[in-house]
Amino acid sequence: MASHLFCGRVNLNILREAARKDLREFLDKCSGSKAIVWDEYLTGPFGLIAQYSLLKEHEVEKMFTLKAGRIPSAAVKNIVFFVRPRLELMDIIAENVASEDKLQPRDVHILFVPRRSLLCEQRLKEKGVLNSFTNIDEYILDLIPYDGDLLSMESESSFRECYLENDQTSLYHAAKGLMNLQALYGTIPQIFGKGECARHVANMMLRMKREFAGSQTQILPVFDTLLLLDRNVDLLTPLATQLTYEGLIDEIFGITNGYVKLPPEKFAQKKQGEGGKELPTEPKKLQLNSAEELYAEIRDKNFNAVGAALSKKAKIISAAFEERHNAKTVGEIKQFVSQLPHMQAARSSLANHTSIAELIKDITTSEDFFDSLTVEQEFMTGVDTDKVSTYIEDCIAQKDPLIKILRLVCMQSVCNNGLKQKVLDYYKKEILQTYGYKHILTLKNLEKVGLLKPQSTMRNNYPTIRKTLKLWMEDANEQNPNDISYVYSGYAPLSVRLTQVLARPGWRSIEEVLKMLPGPHFEERQQVPTGLHKKRQPGENRTTLVFFLGGVTYAEIAALRFLSNMEDSGTEYIIAATKLINGTSWIKSLMDSPEENLP
Amino acid sequence: MTRAKPEDDEYWNSSKFKAFTFDDEDDEFSQLKESKRAVNSILVDDDDEDEEDVERVSWSGEPVGSISWSVKETASSIRSGSEQSFPKIDTTPSLSKQGSGYSLSSLFKAKSKPGAFQSFSESFSDTSSRTYAPELRKPKSGGKDVVSDLSPEETVRRMQKGRAFSLEKFCSLQDKLLLLDEAVAVYDGNVITAVLIFLKKSLSKEILFRELMARDVALRHYVHYLKEMGEQKLVVELLKALGRTEDMALMHYKEHLNIKDESRRRDFLKSCLSLPFSQDDATHVQDHYTLLERQIIIEASDKKAVAEIFKKFPRKASILNMPIITTLYYSCFYHYGESEGTFSSPSNIRKTFRISEKQYILTALGARAKLKSWFDVDSLFNTKNWLGYTKKRSPIGFHRVVDILHKNSAPVQVLQEYVNLIDDPDLKLSGALKYKCHDIVINTYRDLKDRQQLIVYREKLERDSPEYRKIQELLNNVQIRWKN
């Protein structure tokens, strides 16, 4: 069912099972046949936990999406709403419930994900429907197992909430999620952190731990260290174009809840006898995770190394198919046949990824992509960051997508520790004139979170940070990497460098740089019950959970996986984040009325 | 599903109740169709292998059984109209008892009581106790909790665990603040908000604002709560009291996005002009207002315009709410050459909105090239020096000019002229090669004395074309000292 969750160092399937158990318990609470009315947004995250079969086993007979008006008819005993605690959804639910047939009453339930909210319940009361609900419950879905070494809260707007709106609810959920995790995997003895939000989450965890002091879990700690990182400690990394295979898939097509939708033309099924079959018009939807052997192998490679890996794989597979000529005896043929399903799966996986790689290659080899990447790399190495970039200017004149412009301007600002007032004003004017004055709001938001700012009197400290942390590696090896900088073909993500230095030689060696980055850095220790102290075998790796508050990119994940797999690293990483992001989705989350600006 | 009798239909149609169980098939169909469309718009079939299968009984397959997929599937299974297209369900859960024994919720939640039911009892709670708190929860059944005499700590704990509590005993300001501080200390936004609602109802605005100013976390939650509840006015007031006037101004300005009617939007923007924006933003908001005002005037007159240009190139969309550069383009397209006195003239717009020369040239060039007015294009770059000679000058590189002209399918003669104006020799050559300006290519190679390249280029040309012959002549010219 969820084989991709077993393969990591930590069995994250325990977490998934716990979540499934909760879900079953709730469903059984509403006895009898039922229909689920879904908050559309939740179907993706729930898909990571459970399949429809699980719901069906618990008498879920129909499923609908939540929308105004009446619930479509269904001969069921219960109606169950699965919703996020949002006021606008409450209004729809109230309308749904109010138009229920009074003559044939059905039991109505509501399940809030991830937390119930008094505010929402009050709204339901105001609408006069609160008493119609038989069950009001919450389904704690904080950290969702996403892959064998990856957890996500799938909380889209977390960065915006924390850094722009000062709403720390998602941090509370993060802390709660970490408490749940510790209940399942044991207390994490060491907590490190950098940034305001990290400090806040650590504080909440320590307080929660005090409160539940009585109910210590008697579990041998699985994690040795927790590292909490604020996204705003490293604003640069998500702005850069990711150059790993998975990163590029996300940049170009967008991965949501582990799925990607691709243009169908390249995936037309070549079935025999159906020569005239029309090309599919619906996008091709693929699930991407490490359960797919080939994908697990190539996802974290620099894209320039993917072609070679694919052709190598192709040779292996065709060799395997050739084996049939060597199969002489019945036994050999039987053995060959038994391997066929596996081989066929491998072949179709190869076909899929070859097609995806072709799609990506069309883009990465374009002049546009090259120019844009060149400018990014110039900024990251500190070239001409204090002047107006003619490339950005040209992009604005050509009315390229606004998000692309904002990504580049923000990157220039971050790499220059703020733009000269004159330069900033110039960009702002050009953007407002070309894309509309209403973007005053978006520009203001970017300023508030620190992505865009005027240069202060302080001197530009980015070069110091770059040099000390070796953020730019001139000779990044894309084919056989020896450093994390391969994920951006030269740029080593700051966040992952911090993680790397923490493991060895320790943050004390970079005190100066840590002070230049925003927010406090700290270390806390949690008491582990006696008898549960881990006795490490010589040569056994430590396990560190790195939690990105405000989102993580696929390239950063790749870099951490690279560190885990390094022979002498001594540390293996499990990654958690509020959300998987890329520069585009991130900037978009900070825009006001973004839907209007997309081309 | 039984079909209703005609008299029943009449009853349902005349009654204010809408028939739910006896729906008319058409109605149901359209409803589901709509729902399916909504679902389809986000969900994609995972499995294109089994597309032909009409009825799917096996839900066990991993991709087929994904939740998002199944939402769509159940929706469509009803649509087919059959009595019960859904497979019979085995009510004994086969898997439910397997798996881990851990339960997330049981770790931190008090086990909910059977039939526990929470409600906000305000004025008419089922017990007689009068409460001020909107968020009081009372179990429907089970023993009555003693809730009236609890410490702030205990009360907050109860709130967190979803048990009955009462806030009414927190009468004095001091008690209320202790309660608030306790809620803040546990970080639970849900509880903080509940306490804030209580404080909002039981304290005067001034006192609440004053106390919140000293409590940053509570203040943020309060602002968030007010925004959620749509209490815009109160937020503005609060921000003002906090001295965050710029935030207040921007928040007010943001409202314009919700106004669809252009005249109302314009009036609203006008009302924003006096708000305390930063100096820069004040200019931008002023421009925004002026632009919309201008667009409304232009739109009104162009809608019924009869000029030749509007017939030849009918307008595809209204100009309302378009960015200024788009508006300038529009003006250069439809209103080129109008005198500066008219609102719609390019020169007036350029001046009013302080558009840079670069932007202006780019925009005008695009518009005039689109119309193939090469004469206008020409005059855009003409400058007279003091001797009266005209000279071509451009604030944007001529290679960009060439790109734009090419995009608008300018003829080679026009392109050639501008390729010739490119300063950088490399750019010039690559431009000439790209846009097949043979003369320039040939002359460049000749000046470089690059015989090899000329030979290569000759092969790309049609035999006996004038260009071909030109190269031929050059190659035969013994006076040129080739470098290769």
Side-chain angles (χ1 to χ4, degrees), chain A residues 454-473:
Chain A
Q455 208 167 35
S456 63
T457 45
M458 263 174 16
R459 113 198 145 78
N460 177 11
N461 56 21
Y462 175 72
T464 317
I465 298 172
R466 188 183 71 231
K467 278 171 207 147
T468 315
L469 293 179
K470 299 195 178 66
L471 296 187
W472 187 262
M473 302 297 275

Side-chain angles (χ1 to χ4, degrees), chain A residues 388-423:
Chain A
V388 169
S389 146
T390 47
Y391 178 73
I392 295 181
E393 219 181 350
D394 289 353
C395 289
I396 295 175
Q398 289 166 58
K399 297 194 184 59
D400 280 358
L402 176 58
I403 291 185
K404 175 186 175 184
I405 310 291
L406 294 175
R407 245 176 115 160
L408 286 169
V409 173
C410 288
M411 183 183 244
Q412 187 178 352
S413 171
V414 172
C415 291
N416 201 48
N417 195 19
L419 295 168
K420 278 187 185 160
Q421 193 65 51
K422 232 176 65 192
V423 175

Side-chain angles (χ1 to χ4, degrees), chain B residues 26 46 65 83 158 178 253 313 366 438 480:
Chain B
D26 285 338
D46 254 327
E83 281 250 85
R158 280 174 165 270
L178 278 175
Y253 168 76
F313 302 95
H438 304 306
I480 303 174

